[in-house]
Amino acid sequence: GENVEQHPSTLSVQEGDSAVIKCTYSDSASNYFPWYKQELGKGPQLIIDIRSNVGEKKDQRIAVTLNKTAKHFSLHITETQPEDSAVYFCAASKNTNAGKSTFGDGTTLTVKP
Amino acid sequence: NAGVTQTPKFQVLKTGQSMTLQCAQDMNHEYMSWYRQDPGMGLRLIHYSVGAGITDQGEVPNGYNVSRSTTEDFPLRLLSAAPSQTSVYFCASSLSGTLYEQYFGPGTRLTVT
């Protein structure tokens, strides 16, 4: 089955700096890659997603890049703010098994004011 | 819309007891799923449903049962609770499978002693 590895497990940055979280996946058939943000005591919430026919997607301070050849995708957060502090999860899914998605183990991001 | 609701928020069980975690959504989503989240690990899929009357196993189904008699509800049953089932449980729904945004409930924190 699919295996998703996420790095780093913890990340600490100063307010205003950029943060990058990387995920690799094993199944070349995977074609949907969402990123979720989980704040303390809450359920995960989608912040951005990308499909395999696109190499990059941006939404204000957040961007995701996808390298299908290398089977990795990354989350980029620019101009970080204290409210960006949370746990971030990547995931991968594919058409032929749309009932299942595989999540990475999560990255705890701390933005220091 | 209330989105995805889960009850209870917290539960303590003794080993061997059974209970049902409730999940409901009011978005008319076809797809619903149950995940467990353990410290340092990502979200692991327990069971999922692609529509009323249809359920299937995820990555870690042992010790859990589900049913989907209506589009709105997707309860998770623990048959005979074990300490290994101590975890935070999240229910999620989406328009159609994991190739679209999944909306997560607030979670149920379960402790089995």
Side-chain angles (χ1 to χ4, degrees), chain A residues 71-93:
Chain A
K71 289 190 281 188
H72 69 68
F73 56 111
S74 300
L75 177 71
H76 304 254
I77 306 174
T78 58
E79 299 171 23
T80 53
Q81 302 166 2
E83 51 265 38
D84 293 329
S85 296
V87 180
Y88 292 81
F89 292 99
C90 63
S93 308

Side-chain angles (χ1 to χ4, degrees), chain A residues 31-32 36 38 41-44 46 51 89 93-95 97-101 103-106, chain B residues 9 31 35 37 40-43 45 48 50 57-58 90 97-102 104-106:
Chain A
N31 59 352
Y32 176 63
Y36 289 86
Q38 185 179 26
K42 296 185 177 180
L46 182 79
R51 299 188 186 273
F89 292 99
S93 308
K94 60 185 179 182
N95 282 346
N97 198 0
K100 299 182 180 180
S101 66
F103 282 80
D105 287 346
Chain B
K9 209 167 177 57
Y31 178 85
Y35 294 89
Q37 183 177 33
M41 301 181 74
L43 295 152
L45 183 66
Y48 66 95
V50 297
Q57 296 182 352
F90 289 100
T98 60
L99 299 178
Y100 296 88
E101 175 179 4
Q102 292 193 70
F104 286 83

Side-chain angles (χ1 to χ4, degrees), chain A residues 17-59:
Chain A
D17 287 349
S18 295
V20 180
I21 303 170
K22 299 181 180 180
C23 286
T24 60
Y25 59 98
S26 61
D27 190 340
S28 56
S30 290
N31 59 352
Y32 176 63
F33 307 94
W35 285 91
Y36 289 86
K37 176 183 180 182
Q38 185 179 26
E39 296 177 342
L40 200 60
K42 296 185 177 180
Q45 188 171 12
L46 182 79
I47 55 170
I48 196 165
D49 56 9
I50 192 167
R51 299 188 186 273
S52 59
N53 58 347
V54 175
E56 183 174 359
K57 185 175 178 181
K58 193 172 180 181
D59 183 4

Side-chain angles (χ1 to χ4, degrees), chain A residues 59-73:
Chain A
D59 183 4
Q60 299 184 331
R61 297 185 297 108
I62 294 172
V64 56
T65 58
L66 172 64
N67 183 328
K68 285 189 294 183
T69 304
K71 289 190 281 188
H72 69 68
F73 56 111

